[in-house]
Amino acid sequence: MKRGRLAAAATYHGWNVLAMGQHLDDLAESTMKAQYSTRDEKLRVIRPLVFVREKALRQFSADKKLPVVAENCPACFNQATERHRIKQLLAQQELIFPDLFNSLRGALRPLLLVDSAHTSEMRTQAVQNIVRDSWLC
């Protein structure tokens, strides 16, 4: 809902790039792409903070005395969501495996480099990224 309204506003103003503020924790908790163009190719959506941890962004905000907006999804107020459950699960696992998010960042990297709004193209690009990156190791 938010993304649709933001995309509509970007289109209204004639902008062709929409930068979203999701971070690494968001990607680990749900499914989203780091970058893609809409099917009509009129708008490019980017998430430049996908390699940054939520706690690092909170610390930066506190240090700079910036406001932090609490969760404001109207659909999320009345019930515990699957995303919240995954967030709790990841927090528990991070206590046992402190390097968990570094591992997730590395595992997600080939997928984050995919730039496609189409699922079949995403698969092909992800495999190409994995093969390419395996040669770098």
Side-chain angles (χ1 to χ4, degrees):
M1 189 164 62
K2 278 187 268 187
R3 186 177 57 224
R5 291 184 133 197
L6 290 170
T11 301
Y12 175 79
H13 289 286
W15 302 330
N16 62 354
V17 177
L18 175 60
M20 306 292 282
Q22 283 95 4
H23 42 70
L24 180 60
D25 297 58
D26 287 329
L27 264 69
E29 294 160 15
S30 62
T31 305
M32 60 183 72
K33 301 172 195 169
Q35 60 176 338
Y36 65 93
S37 296
T38 55
R39 290 182 192 266
D40 62 8
E41 300 289 327
K42 292 182 179 177
L43 185 65
R44 182 163 176 75
V45 178
I46 62 172
R47 294 183 170 99
L49 302 174
V50 296
F51 291 116
V52 181
R53 290 294 311 275
E54 179 180 18
K55 61 185 173 184
L57 291 173
R58 286 188 183 281
Q59 185 62 54
F60 177 83
S61 296
D63 292 348
K64 302 297 181 188
K65 297 180 177 42
L66 299 172
V68 175
V69 178
E71 175 61 56
N72 60 356
C73 172
C76 298
F77 289 135
N78 296 330
Q79 59 183 338
T81 63
E82 179 66 9
R83 184 171 174 170
H84 179 72
R85 188 185 74 75
I86 296 297
K87 185 179 192 76
Q88 297 300 322
L89 175 70
L90 289 169
Q92 291 170 349
Q93 293 302 303
E94 189 175 23
L95 292 174
I96 301 166
F97 306 104
D99 210 33
L100 174 67
F101 278 88
N102 286 332
S103 296
L104 288 172
R105 182 184 295 121
L108 289 170
R109 187 172 191 79
L111 298 173
L112 296 178
L113 298 174
V114 169
D115 178 16
S116 175
H118 308 285
T119 304
S120 60
E121 291 174 12
M122 287 175 55
R123 284 190 201 107
T124 301
Q125 288 180 18
V127 169
Q128 290 169 351
N129 290 338
I130 291 167
V131 169
R132 186 193 68 234
D133 287 352
S134 68
W135 287 101
L136 299 175
C137 296

